[in-house]
Amino acid sequence: WFSLSYVIAIAGYLGLSAAAGRLLGPDTFGYFIIALTLAMVAGQLGLLGVHRSGLREAARLEREDVEQLAELRRGVRAVVLVSLPLAGVVTGMIAWLLASDQTTTDRIVISLSVAALVVLNGLQKLWANYLRGFGEVRIASMLEGRSGGAVVAVMQAVLVIVVWQLFPTWGLAGALAAVVLGYAIPVGW
C-alpha cells in the first residue's frame, strides 16, 4: 500500500514541478519553489512537535480512555487555533515583503497563499500523524506528503496544469493558489 501511494506521489510532485516550470518560466519558478519550501518549514515549526507526540500518544491510547483523549485534543486545539495561524500570518507577511515587485493583487494572493500553505501543510502533517497513530495507516499514507501524499500531489499537479492551460497570465499567484486548493480539498476532507 505504501509503495503504490509513494510512486503516485512522486509522479504527482514531478508533474507539479513540470507544470509550474512551464507556467512560470525560469524567471519565476525559483520563487515558487522558495515559497513552497518556506511554507513547509514554517508549517513544521508551527506544529511545535505536537504531531509527533500525538502520533506516539494515539498509538498507545486505549479507546475508552476519555481523559487521555481529551489531553490529545487540547494539544491539537492549541496548535490549530494558535501556533499554526500565527506561523501562517508571520510567513504571509514575509511573503508580502518579498513580493514587492508584483502587482498589488498578485502580492495579496501570494501572501495569502503562502499563509494558507503554512496552515494547510501543518494540518496535513498533524492529521496524517494522528490517523497513523490511531491505526489508519492507509488513509494517512495517501494524505501525508513525505509518506506518499498521493492525493495531495495529484490534486496540486492537476490544478497547476489547469492554471497553466486555461489561465497562464495568473503566473506565480495562480500557481500558489492552485497548490493551496490542492491541499485544502484533501485536508478539509
Side-chain angles (χ1 to χ4, degrees), residues 130-151:
Y130 273 85
L131 285 168
R132 189 169 276 113
F134 285 127
E136 300 291 340
V137 176
R138 289 181 178 175
I139 296 171
S141 292
M142 292 299 287
L143 180 62
E144 190 176 25
R146 70 169 176 77
S147 299
V151 174

Side-chain angles (χ1 to χ4, degrees), residues 97-120:
L97 294 172
L98 294 176
S100 61
D101 62 335
Q102 301 288 321
T103 68
T104 302
T105 303
D106 284 353
R107 204 171 173 193
I108 291 168
V109 171
I110 289 168
S111 61
L112 290 176
S113 293
V114 168
L117 282 172
V118 169
V119 173
L120 289 168

